[in-house]
Amino acid sequence: MSQEIYPAEPEATRRDASEAESSRASRGWWDRNADEYQSDHGAFLGDDRFVWGPEGLDEAEAGLLGPAGSLRGLDVLEIGAGAAQCSRWLAAQGARPVALDLSHRQLQHALRIGGSDAPAVRLVEADAGVLPFRDGSFDLACSAYGAVPFVADPVQVFREVHRVLRPGGRWVFSVTHPVRWAFPDEPGPEGLSVAASYFDRTPYVEQDERGEAVYVEHHRTLGDRVRDVVAGGFRLVDLVEPEWPAWNHQEWGGWSPLRGNLIPGTAVFVCERG
Ligand SMILES: C[S@@+](CC[C@H](N)C(=O)[O-])C[C@H]1O[C@@H](n2cnc3c(N)ncnc32)[C@H](O)[C@@H]1O
């Protein structure tokens, strides 16, 4: 008689996690969960739309990267690109996007959706903390929830983005709005009561039975994020907090119409390289 052994459910905890451990955990988690992520959210993201987060703020309307028509001919780096939906939108605007991600499986989805016959988007598998590009390679960099919430040292990522951008280049990234840290990550009413300190920066870690992290999220307060942007060499031009639109009835994890109408869920930082 054979006996099946199931891996134990990861344990959720709060503890420190180094850059190396966070990176390892992210790569493994996104490789294991890319199929489910794309199957659950692919329709909402669209194959070639640029959506900044679960509210559905669309770059085609928001124009955070620059006015309509201004992207043509620009070299653009997308960080934590997943299946590169945003990069395909950028390519349709006439830009030359490079979609970078840590997860091989996410990039396989980019290949599946984009097709390999005439790739409009260059795909690069790498960690955002060490960008494999020469100084001044890009006019613009962007990230929709990619990498920044998962790294222990966001300033290192920002310095790298600064290095590979040309002077005056924009760096626009979205993350979970820091205020959400204080609330349970639940879409319903239980997600509306403060349950933890907004000021506690101890990372959220899911770990396996050997105590190794399999998922890590790092918290920075709003002030921390502003200071990190400045420490990375950028000027903060705008901080966008998308409101929940009436047309959006879908839940995405802890993001829901109920919570979205009461507290911000996403913060988009619009920065410029000095
Ligand atoms: C929430 S998904 C967002 C993907 C895509 N931007 C989207 O909107 O669907 C986060 C992505 O960041 C990637 N990521 C996490 N940590 C990273 C790192 N250190 N360097 C590069 N990519 C990373 C993950 O592999 C994943 O594809």
Side-chain angles (χ1 to χ4, degrees):
M1 203 166 85
S2 71
Q3 190 186 359
E4 287 193 57
I5 299 175
Y6 295 97
E9 273 290 301
E11 174 205 11
T13 184
R14 294 278 186 94
R15 67 160 170 84
D16 282 342
S18 70
E19 189 53 53
E21 187 182 26
S22 303
S23 173
R24 217 170 31 246
S26 287
R27 188 191 302 270
W29 197 90
W30 287 101
D31 276 346
R32 285 191 306 280
N33 291 279
D35 293 4
E36 191 181 334
Y37 179 84
Q38 297 302 336
S39 139
D40 287 355
H41 305 299
F44 180 78
L45 292 169
D47 283 352
D48 45 18
R49 275 177 71 207
F50 192 134
V51 178
W52 283 108
E55 294 81 8
L57 180 69
D58 196 317
E59 175 58 20
E61 286 156 30
L64 303 181
L65 300 176
S70 66
L71 301 174
R72 182 158 294 283
L74 298 190
D75 294 307
V76 185
L77 174 62
E78 187 191 359
I79 291 185
Q85 287 92 345
C86 301
S87 282
R88 277 189 295 281
W89 179 83
L90 287 161
Q93 309 312 303
R96 289 187 293 269
V98 174
L100 175 141
D101 203 283
L102 184 67
S103 159
H104 188 72
R105 189 64 188 160
Q106 285 278 61
L107 293 175
Q108 282 183 325
H109 281 284
L111 271 181
R112 171 183 60 79
I113 299 170
S116 49
D117 293 348
V121 177
R122 213 176 117 208
L123 305 178
V124 173
E125 187 176 327
D127 192 314
V130 190
L131 296 175
F133 309 107
R134 291 204 181 96
D135 298 2
S137 302
F138 297 97
D139 302 295
L140 193 63
C142 58
S143 179
Y145 276 82
V148 179
F150 308 106
V151 298
D153 187 358
V155 175
Q156 166 65 19
V157 173
F158 297 169
R159 288 201 178 116
E160 276 292 89
V161 174
H162 184 276
R163 181 182 66 73
V164 302
L165 273 179
R166 297 176 185 131
R170 272 197 171 191
W171 162 224
V172 187
F173 65 93
S174 63
V175 291
T176 305
H177 196 292
V179 82
R180 288 275 167 126
W181 190 251
F183 297 86
D185 190 25
E186 298 291 342
E190 64 277 30
L192 294 175
S193 302
V194 169
S197 169
Y198 168 76
F199 300 105
D200 182 359
R201 276 84 158 177
T202 314
Y204 169 83
V205 175
E206 292 176 8
Q207 58 187 17
D208 64 18
E209 63 280 9
R210 290 165 303 166
E212 278 176 30
V214 294
Y215 180 84
V216 181
E217 262 186 54
H218 290 270
H219 171 57
R220 310 288 288 149
T221 67
L222 211 46
D224 292 339
R225 290 258 182 246
V226 172
R227 281 183 289 277
D228 291 348
V229 160
V230 173
F234 291 94
R235 192 166 65 85
L236 185 63
V237 176
D238 199 0
L239 170 54
V240 178
E241 298 165 294
E243 295 189 28
W244 197 273
W247 59 262
N248 188 354
H249 302 291
Q250 81 134 19
E251 289 185 359
W252 178 325
W255 287 261
S256 62
L258 174 76
R259 297 177 84 207
N261 279 304
L262 297 170
I263 49 173
T266 296
V268 193
F269 292 79
V270 183
C271 317
E272 265 172 21
R273 185 195 192 283

